[in-house]
Every structure is written in C-alpha cells, then in structure tokens.
Amino acid sequence: MPHWLTEREQRAWRGLLQMNSALDARLNRELQQASGLSLADYDVLVLLTEAPDGRRRVFEVAEDLQWEQSRLSHHLARMQRRGLVAREECTTDRRGAFVVLTDAGRDAIEKAAPGHVDTVRQLVFDGLSEEQVAMLESFVGRVLARLRSV
C-alpha cells in the first residue's frame, strides 16, 4: 500500500513543481528577449566559465546538468553553429571530447549575466528574508544530498 502524501505535503510538492516550471519559463523568456540566449545555453555557458580554462569534458557537462547525452549533443551542436562553443577532441581518450567556451560565448554570457542575476534577485531573493534564504539553502542542500545518496 502506497504511503500517500498528506494534503500539506501535496500542496508543498505541487507548489514546488509549479514554482520551478514558472521560474524556468520566466527566466528563459527574459534571457531570450534580452540576450538571445536560452536558459539551457546559459546553463552550459556558466559551467564553462567556471572551468579554469573554459573547457569541460562533454560527459562532465551532461552529469552536471543532469541531461541525457543525446540532448546535450544536440544542444551543443546548436550552440556550436552559433559560435558560442567549440568541440575539441581529447588527445588522451579518443572516445571523449571537450566542449570549449569561445570568445563569442564568453562575450554572450558576460552581457547576459547582469540582467539574468537581476531577474533572479527580483523574482526570488528580494521577496525573502535572510532567514528564509538560509532555510531555502538548507532545504535545497538536504534534497540534493538525498538525490545523490539514493
């Protein structure tokens, strides 16, 4: 017999799903209008800008974004056609490849980031107290830890 969610748990769960969908849609729309980048483009570019040399193994990007390999491959191909990233062969592992941030990709994220951060701040953090931000951080950390351990 399933252990059903309580009414309160259902409200919290559904609210979390609705919030995530609404945030993703809004952030994607705002990024597209302001910079021509999708939220998915932005996510890839952030990972590359955080890498010391602007390059990551393709499988690492897939793991970090929790994307299927085929989705990432198609998305990287679109980004490559737009000049945002490049692919390079891995000389030590012929089966693998690197995705590399281009100058155009770096320029695109540097232009998009301030507006994106302002939108995130406006939609999320400006409406929360410091205590609520700490609670959100704790909540997210606990759920992510459970996801990694199960």
Side-chain angles (χ1 to χ4, degrees):
M1 181 82 174
H3 183 116
W4 297 108
L5 298 177
T6 66
E7 285 185 36
R8 185 176 194 186
E9 289 168 337
Q10 281 185 17
R11 284 192 309 272
W13 176 243
R14 290 178 181 165
L16 177 64
L17 294 177
Q18 290 172 350
M19 179 189 70
N20 188 56
S21 293
L23 273 172
D24 279 353
R26 179 75 173 270
L27 292 172
N28 192 55
R29 190 169 48 251
E30 301 265 341
L31 271 169
Q32 285 279 357
Q33 290 173 352
S35 67
L37 294 175
S38 68
L39 188 55
D41 294 337
Y42 192 88
D43 290 341
V44 170
L45 293 174
V46 164
L47 288 176
L48 295 176
T49 59
E50 291 174 343
D53 55 357
R55 64 192 304 119
R56 303 277 308 267
R57 294 288 299 265
V58 172
F59 78 87
E60 292 172 330
V61 175
E63 285 177 1
D64 286 348
L65 295 177
Q66 294 291 294
W67 288 4
E68 297 293 327
Q69 189 67 36
S70 62
R71 176 185 178 191
L72 180 61
S73 180
H74 289 294
H75 195 81
L76 291 178
R78 288 189 297 273
M79 290 180 75
Q80 190 173 3
R81 284 193 295 273
R82 292 166 42 220
L84 300 172
V85 299
R87 287 186 196 236
E88 292 180 0
E89 296 299 317
C90 178
T91 57
T92 60
D93 179 2
R94 294 278 179 208
R95 297 169 297 166
F98 287 98
V99 58
V100 182
L101 183 65
T102 64
D103 290 341
R106 185 173 303 281
D107 185 55
I109 194 163
E110 286 176 355
K111 287 178 180 171
H116 179 68
V117 170
D118 285 346
T119 300
V120 169
R121 180 166 301 289
Q122 175 192 12
L123 295 176
V124 179
F125 295 104
D126 286 350
L128 300 176
S129 68
E130 284 298 317
E131 181 180 85
Q132 289 169 322
V133 172
M135 289 171 37
L136 176 61
E137 181 183 27
S138 174
F139 159 74
V140 167
R142 290 182 70 143
V143 173
L144 287 173
R146 285 186 63 84
L147 285 167
R148 290 184 196 110
S149 71
V150 176

